[in-house]
Amino acid sequence: AGGGGGGGGGGAEALAATAAAAGLATKRLHDEEVQEAALRQADPVADLALRVVRWAEDGAREKPRPLPLPVTHRSTAFRLAVGEAAAHGLPSSLDPDAPAREGRRLDVEDEEEEAALLRTVWLMVRCGRVAEAQQLCRQCGQPWRAATLGGGEPWRYDSAAGGWVGNPDRPLWRSACGAIARRALQRPEVPASAHEAAAYASLASDASLLHAVLPVCGGWEDEVWARLKPTVGKHIAEQQRRLSDGQPLRHEHAL
């Protein structure tokens, strides 16, 4: 059920009550942009940490130079079409999960294109330009990857659109990003794996995945960003959860 900000609150309350009466689990949703603004005002240390993260993104030493080219695994697709995939140890389909699931690799040319794309995606994530990374993936023929990158938008009421936008369950999305990063780490022989792991680990806000990010860092600024981003992200998420549950903030866990 949606809550806080923008109209429609009464209808949302009624819907939640009806669902609860039917024995269904419900979750009270809040405008997370409003919450984050309030948290930053109440917690100067968290506000400073977020400012440092933004500073590190704006000042990233290496800037991405996107060159949209098809990354649609054309060589692998050709070998599949002519019945040569199995003989060359290629996956049995173009399903994006097939290589990892089957323990096989794409054609060499396709792997090189994938590696170039994911290196650019990593640089865009490092610069805080996730929406641009999504657009690049769409332009390169990977809308499915664009979708995996796009769950980090806060759930909020958009008065211009007259409705709620964003992701109402960002913790689930972050968990999925962590799973993608861990899977990439299990295949170090694949050229794209290091940058894929780093990009998704950065989006996961999980400090336990720092080892996936540090190998592709190019300087102390990258390392500061890699260490601080998951820490402050987790802190803000935990404080938002407490607010949504009607609990007081816990400043003793400030950064």
Side-chain angles (χ1 to χ4, degrees):
E13 295 285 0
L15 181 60
T18 302
L24 301 175
T26 61
K27 183 173 81 169
R28 177 73 173 167
L29 300 177
H30 300 265
D31 189 313
E32 293 177 341
E33 273 196 345
V34 173
Q35 281 186 331
E36 182 174 315
L39 286 170
R40 294 181 68 164
Q41 186 172 11
D43 189 341
V45 177
D47 179 63
L48 178 60
L50 283 168
R51 291 176 184 272
V52 172
V53 169
R54 300 293 178 263
W55 166 82
E57 290 174 345
D58 293 341
R61 182 177 304 180
E62 186 171 3
K63 303 294 185 183
R65 296 180 177 84
L67 181 62
L69 295 171
V71 185
T72 53
H73 307 161
R74 292 168 292 176
S75 296
T76 301
F78 173 77
R79 294 196 184 278
L80 281 167
V82 299
E84 297 179 355
H88 288 81
L90 303 178
S92 62
S93 74
L94 293 178
D95 175 357
D97 293 322
R101 185 175 61 244
E102 299 174 8
R104 299 189 174 194
R105 293 174 59 175
L106 299 171
D107 187 82
V108 173
E109 184 178 341
D110 295 335
E111 283 195 336
E112 291 174 353
E113 292 176 350
E114 187 91 346
L117 171 62
L118 281 164
R119 184 175 186 279
T120 303
V121 167
W122 148 249
L123 290 174
M124 287 180 161
V125 170
R126 167 66 184 86
C127 293
R129 293 159 55 181
V130 178
E132 292 181 41
Q134 288 182 270
Q135 182 61 23
L136 175 64
C137 290
R138 295 188 192 99
Q139 293 172 339
C140 290
Q142 293 197 4
W144 56 270
R145 189 179 296 283
T148 66
L149 296 171
E153 284 297 308
W155 180 250
R156 65 194 185 282
Y157 187 79
D158 187 331
S159 57
W164 291 85
V165 298
N167 184 358
D169 199 348
R170 285 192 290 175
L172 180 61
W173 170 74
R174 293 187 187 108
S175 177
C177 287
I180 294 172
R182 291 184 178 91
R183 185 179 69 179
L185 288 173
Q186 293 173 357
R187 309 188 75 213
E189 71 281 2
V190 177
S193 63
H195 290 108
E196 181 175 36
Y200 284 97
S202 299
L203 296 172
S205 292
D206 184 348
S208 72
L209 285 169
L210 182 62
H211 64 287
V213 185
L214 292 180
V216 300
C217 289
W220 67 267
E221 302 97 327
D222 287 355
E223 186 166 338
V224 167
W225 177 85
R227 292 180 181 279
L228 186 56
K229 186 176 187 296
T231 303
V232 68
K234 181 179 179 181
H235 176 74
I236 293 294
E238 172 63 16
Q239 296 285 57
Q240 287 182 321
R241 183 193 65 77
R242 294 184 65 82
L243 281 177
S244 297
D245 292 344
Q247 301 176 24
L249 299 182
R250 300 179 66 177
H251 294 291
E252 65 271 22
H253 293 308
L255 303 172

